[in-house]
Amino acid sequence: MLTTCCDYCIVACGYKIYRWPVGAADGGPKASQNAFNVDFPTGALQAWVAPTQHNVVMHKGKPHNVVVIPDKDSKAVNFGGDSSIRGGCIAQKVYNPKKPTKDRLQSPLIRINGTLQPVSWDTALDVAAELIDHTVRKHGANAYAMKMYSYQFVENTYALSKFSRGSINTANFTFHDTPANVTSTPGFRDAGFDNFGPAYRDWGDAEVLMICGTDPYETKTMIFTQFIKPAIDQGQKTIWLNVRETAGLAYAKSRGNALHIQLDPGTDTPVLGAIARVILENGWEDSKWIKKWVNNKWESSSGFGQGTRNTPWQWRTTWGKFQTKGFEDYKKWNFAQKEYNPKTAAKIANIPVEDIYTAAEWLAKPKADGTRPKTSLGIEKGFYWSNNTGNTNAVSSLATLCGAGGRPGQVVGRFGGHQRGGTGGAGFPRNKSPQKRPGRRRQAMDTDRYRCQPWRAKRRLVDPSSREAALFSRRALRQRENKVGLRTRRPVIGSQVRSSNELAKLLRSAW
């Protein structure tokens, strides 16, 4: 018996793997005859093996049965061996040439004369090394770009980041979900909230939970079924900021304590700002929390907490231009924003204005005995991958008004998407980035933009839509045509893109 975990979402539920040779004796129905130590047939939700939890794999050159089932002994996340539909089918992902996995690549492929052809690992690595070495020697380290995942496990993320940022020492590096090596939730960093500060239990301990841009049931099932659903069943109020109704939301509505703010895409910021205004107008903000724990401008600028000195924060504040001086100044600023008027925000988002008032009341109105509701706010990609600065700043401000942040059942953060296992093998060489504005430290290099620039323009970036970029493109194309005898009408997209003729020539030289 082996152990593993599901790799689909942030939760990483525990699983057990049973493996034995095909043709060997199978277990029997009595507890003493099988690895589960239970008598079959079993009762509902007890140990059993669904057809999707079995497969046949090759192990040491021989076919073996493999069964992957949830770990009934799990004492974290998937308590008692619960699982999502995705996790329950992990066994179907292992390679079996007689099943849909038969199309899985068995070797590296290289495009030769316009056709992808299998090659040995030695050949593939030699070609990759030659191309990387040629690129870096001729055009500098920043001509080598890497866009890698920030998930999976330490062995992968450590090696990739060490190779690119350390060995190659390129600033042309970022993760899968950002154009540059920056946070995708800048509002959280500005406010001092950690993306994954909340514990799963905090979501269930909240009396009011605002869910923005996701459905935890559909995307991180165990967080919902193990923590949020039991809380909903016991009366937790949920506010869903989503453009459509989903399964988890439908269940919450069936319990009679859910509010669905079905706004139009891209209108989250004015809706959150309007909710904040209603809270401010009624004096429902957590004034004690704000007075004790929230920095004013002087405290931030002096280096307390997040600070502005030599941090990415200074890029967005422009030395105070977009930074309020504290709670009273934020309140004044909020009241001055026309789009934060509840009626205006409702019109922009195409929602009933009553939803804004109801949300504000649920989130922040003190109870009859004077105590405050325990409010938490969780977001995911449907929210922060669109207008991520405005949306995450808005939800951070709203959370601060509600007193949410680093308190049991009163938190703000991401629910989580895929697995998080990113471990840096080397620091990011920011000083090698060509992006810099007068009077500011260098920005992280915009990899998504840079890789679409003319491949010979390696010293600085140009606006892709400018006349300068067009001239660079034509000049670079002519130079490459003259150099390699290439005749094509396709534009030069980046240093990694090469024609089949050119690649074949490089392959022949490598061999």
Side-chain angles (χ1 to χ4, degrees), residues 182-449:
V182 296
T183 177
S184 55
T185 54
F188 279 174
R189 184 163 65 180
D190 292 352
F193 295 131
D194 185 89
N195 272 337
F196 299 108
Y200 294 165
R201 193 174 299 279
D202 286 319
W203 302 125
D205 287 345
E207 296 172 338
V208 182
L209 175 61
M210 185 175 225
I211 299 170
C212 304
T214 187
D215 180 345
Y217 172 69
E218 294 189 352
T219 56
K220 45 205 72 67
T221 306
M222 288 303 100
I223 293 181
F224 186 87
T225 59
Q226 299 269 332
F227 301 97
I228 298 176
K229 178 183 176 294
I232 291 175
D233 291 340
Q234 296 175 23
Q236 181 190 71
K237 294 180 178 179
T238 53
I239 302 170
W240 301 69
L241 206 68
N242 274 333
V243 299
R244 66 182 65 86
E245 182 170 316
T246 51
L249 170 54
Y251 178 81
K253 290 174 67 175
S254 75
R255 305 301 291 175
N257 46 359
L259 171 64
H260 182 197
I261 302 179
Q262 194 169 5
L263 73 177
D264 285 350
T267 62
D268 309 78
T269 297
V271 170
L272 292 175
I275 294 172
R277 177 177 293 190
V278 174
I279 292 173
L280 293 168
E281 288 175 338
N282 287 277
W284 292 339
E285 69 275 2
D286 191 339
S287 55
K288 291 183 179 179
W289 163 264
I290 292 170
K291 183 177 180 179
K292 184 174 182 179
W293 295 106
V294 180
N295 284 349
N296 58 36
K297 183 178 179 180
W298 180 86
E299 289 168 332
S300 293
S301 298
S302 299
F304 294 93
Q306 189 71 0
T308 62
R309 296 181 177 179
N310 199 36
T311 70
W313 169 249
Q314 68 190 38
W315 289 97
R316 290 183 293 282
T317 61
T318 314
W319 303 108
K321 183 176 179 180
F322 301 114
Q323 183 183 8
T324 59
K325 299 176 182 178
F327 169 72
E328 291 299 332
D329 194 33
Y330 168 77
K331 182 177 179 179
K332 180 180 178 181
W333 176 84
N334 181 292
F335 286 178
Q337 308 310 306
K338 295 181 180 179
E339 65 272 19
Y340 285 1
N341 178 289
K343 290 184 179 180
T344 304
K347 185 177 181 180
I348 293 171
N350 194 25
I351 61 174
V353 69
E354 291 79 13
D355 286 356
I356 292 175
Y357 286 94
T358 301
E361 183 175 338
W362 285 14
L363 289 167
K365 184 179 179 180
K367 304 174 188 177
D369 61 2
T371 60
R372 299 188 57 82
K374 294 175 66 175
T375 295
S376 289
L377 302 91
I379 70 170
E380 257 313 308
K381 297 175 183 65
F383 176 82
Y384 73 83
W385 270 6
S386 171
N387 186 25
N388 60 353
T389 298
N391 284 352
T392 55
N393 273 320
V395 77
S396 296
S397 298
L398 180 58
T400 302
L401 293 178
C402 296
R407 309 163 79 180
Q410 294 176 270
V411 294
V412 57
R414 285 185 52 189
F415 286 110
H418 45 64
Q419 299 239 329
R420 311 297 300 191
T423 298
F428 176 66
R430 180 184 292 269
N431 287 337
K432 296 185 69 174
S433 170
Q435 293 179 228
K436 190 178 187 304
R437 297 178 183 177
R440 303 290 192 271
R441 68 193 291 235
R442 292 185 181 274
Q443 292 176 303
M445 191 170 175
D446 190 338
T447 296
D448 283 4
R449 181 182 176 190

Side-chain angles (χ1 to χ4, degrees), residues 490-509:
R490 294 182 299 170
V492 178
I493 304 298
S495 61
Q496 302 98 318
V497 179
R498 298 175 181 276
S499 72
S500 58
N501 289 338
E502 188 177 1
L503 182 56
K505 180 178 180 180
L506 289 169
L507 280 172
R508 286 193 295 272
S509 64

Side-chain angles (χ1 to χ4, degrees), residues 32-43:
S32 60
Q33 298 173 332
N34 63 70
F36 296 156
N37 295 316
V38 296
D39 291 322
F40 284 87
T42 62

